[in-house]
Amino acid sequence: MMRSVRFHQHGGADVLRYEDVPEPELAPGEVLVRVRACALNHLDLWQRRGMPHVPIPLPHISGSDVAGEVVAALAPEVPVGRRVMLQPGVSCGRCTACLAGRDNECPQYEVLGYRNYPGGYAEFVKVPVQNLIPIPDGIDFVQAAAFPLTFVTAWHMLITKAQVKKGDDVLVLAAGSGVGQAAIQIAFLQGARVFATAGSDDKLERAKALGAYEVIHHHKQDIADEIKRLTNKRGVDVVIEHVGEATWPKSVRSLARGGRLVTCGATTGTKGGLDLAALFSKQLTIYGSYMGTKSELLRAARYFFTGQLKPVIDRTFPLAEAAAAQQRLEESGQFGKIVLEV
Ligand SMILES: [Zn+2]
């Protein structure tokens, strides 16, 4: 048996139960990892609350961002004891999308800890061997767990979809969120000029420390008006959206002619209108983006391992306090990643 945190029904954070469950059983090609740290994502909250069109087999163990040690493998040449972080995306490896390197478009694409793959809110987790990424000694488990999902998501949005380059102006919404802190760093690394929003002065200071050139207080200032003022009425080339209804019209209005908007989420609601006249006359492009590819995560990890990208840790909780950790994420008080230590 192993300790885990599961929910048996959908609801608030109080449905999370700290309890013993059987250890995962390995199938050929799979690896058992002793979880040392597991970072939280908004995905954990959505699945716990329940989504009308996404059935989650219950009881369920959440947790998509995992770091730990290999303890057993039904696969050749996997050294037991190896320190690793896990690719959160699981795909078939055989379809045209997978073989073209676009594994996040695989019809069988799954995310660890989402639906059919029990996740890292537990002492042990199993994954396909191709999901292991060895980590160097200088990277601790908490940092490693905080990296994969948000950085691969932000990388896919900025580098692959929007093709951000030196000289671009980029607006990143919600700098304190997981995607926000990752997107600021990746855009800065690309040589872009970064504008970031947040809901407190403290968060705005921290966004600047990460590389934001100008910051906007989204409770006190109108995002689009500020962007127009800061860019001499031009607007930005790229907007990184994941807030949804609360910011969508302002995000569209912040775009320069030829601008690209990339969205990977809608934490405040999924309804977003669009003025078609603005779309064609300003020649805008809108991209939907979901996770990222294994190849992109490996590329991003090079910069992580050399210290050029650093996941920001908000705070850690012991596994038994997963409910308190999720409440902190729900209240949006955090700057950076909230991580469970196991
Ligand atoms: Zn596939």
Side-chain angles (χ1 to χ4, degrees):
M1 301 295 278
M2 65 171 183
R3 300 304 288 169
S4 77
V5 169
R6 299 197 295 184
F7 55 90
H8 295 248
Q9 79 230 41
H10 296 294
D14 56 338
V15 301
L16 296 176
R17 285 195 213 163
Y18 184 56
E19 60 189 3
D20 284 337
V21 300
E23 278 182 28
E25 282 181 28
L26 294 184
E30 290 182 334
V31 175
L32 189 67
V33 172
R34 169 67 173 89
V35 179
R36 295 295 176 188
C38 179
L40 271 58
N41 289 286
H42 274 280
L43 192 60
D44 308 4
L45 305 182
W46 292 114
Q47 62 188 238
R48 191 207 67 214
R49 293 172 190 149
M51 293 167 281
H53 306 296
V54 185
I56 309 274
L58 298 175
H60 179 72
I61 303 177
S62 300
S64 308
D65 267 332
V66 174
E69 296 140 327
V70 174
V71 289
L74 283 185
E77 294 171 34
V78 180
V80 168
R82 189 65 178 265
R83 301 169 75 251
V84 294
M85 62 183 187
L86 303 184
Q87 297 261 17
V90 182
S91 62
C92 80
R94 295 185 294 273
C95 71
T96 50
C98 282
L99 294 171
R102 304 192 315 270
D103 43 271
N104 59 335
E105 294 175 22
C106 174
Q108 294 179 43
Y109 190 73
E110 289 269 5
V111 178
L112 181 64
Y114 185 23
R115 285 185 294 189
N116 297 315
Y117 276 86
Y121 286 30
E123 276 181 279
F124 297 96
V125 69
K126 67 169 189 172
V127 288
V129 63
Q130 58 267 32
N131 284 62
L132 298 182
I133 302 176
I135 55 174
D137 290 340
I139 302 281
D140 68 39
F141 290 125
V142 168
Q143 281 180 289
F147 187 79
L149 195 146
T150 46
F151 276 86
V152 78
T153 298
W155 188 279
H156 190 64
M157 294 173 84
L158 286 158
I159 308 295
T160 306
K161 295 290 189 187
Q163 304 199 359
V164 167
K165 56 195 178 301
K166 197 173 184 66
D168 277 345
D169 281 346
V170 176
L171 169 62
V172 175
L173 297 182
S177 66
V179 167
Q181 53 93 26
I184 292 172
Q185 294 185 57
I186 294 168
F188 182 77
L189 196 68
Q190 280 295 96
R193 191 165 67 156
V194 182
F195 301 82
T197 79
S200 76
D201 292 335
D202 174 54
K203 288 184 180 184
L204 294 175
E205 280 308 309
R206 300 189 66 175
K208 277 193 168 174
L210 283 180
Y213 171 69
E214 290 281 4
V215 290
I216 299 167
H217 193 307
H218 59 224
H219 296 317
K220 292 183 183 167
Q221 296 172 298
D222 181 274
I223 296 170
D225 289 349
E226 278 303 295
I227 285 295
K228 290 289 160 69
R229 187 180 69 79
L230 294 167
T231 59
N232 197 21
K233 296 184 182 165
R234 195 181 81 89
V236 293
D237 302 290
V238 173
V239 176
I240 297 300
E241 240 299 342
H242 51 103
V243 178
E245 262 176 62
T247 52
W248 182 265
K250 293 166 188 172
S251 294
V252 174
R253 204 152 59 80
S254 298
L255 287 167
R257 288 176 189 279
R260 295 92 82 194
L261 186 155
V262 193
T263 178
C264 73
T267 46
T268 59
T270 54
K271 299 277 186 296
L274 193 58
D275 176 358
L276 297 181
L279 179 70
F280 65 73
S281 66
K282 288 174 77 180
Q283 305 189 62
L284 307 179
T285 306
I286 296 187
Y287 294 100
S289 190
Y290 185 64
M291 302 288 291
T293 69
K294 292 188 170 76
S295 162
E296 288 166 325
L297 180 53
L298 292 175
R299 279 173 182 263
R302 291 183 202 155
Y303 293 89
F304 174 35
F305 296 157
T306 54
Q308 290 158 285
L309 293 175
K310 286 183 190 159
V312 177
I313 310 299
D314 173 66
R315 60 172 287 193
T316 63
F317 289 83
L319 175 63
E321 293 173 24
Q326 287 200 354
Q327 273 166 353
R328 180 162 175 79
L329 182 60
E330 265 176 333
E331 288 158 8
S332 297
Q334 88 284 4
F335 192 98
K337 299 295 286 178
I338 299 166
V339 184
L340 300 173
E341 291 189 284
V342 184

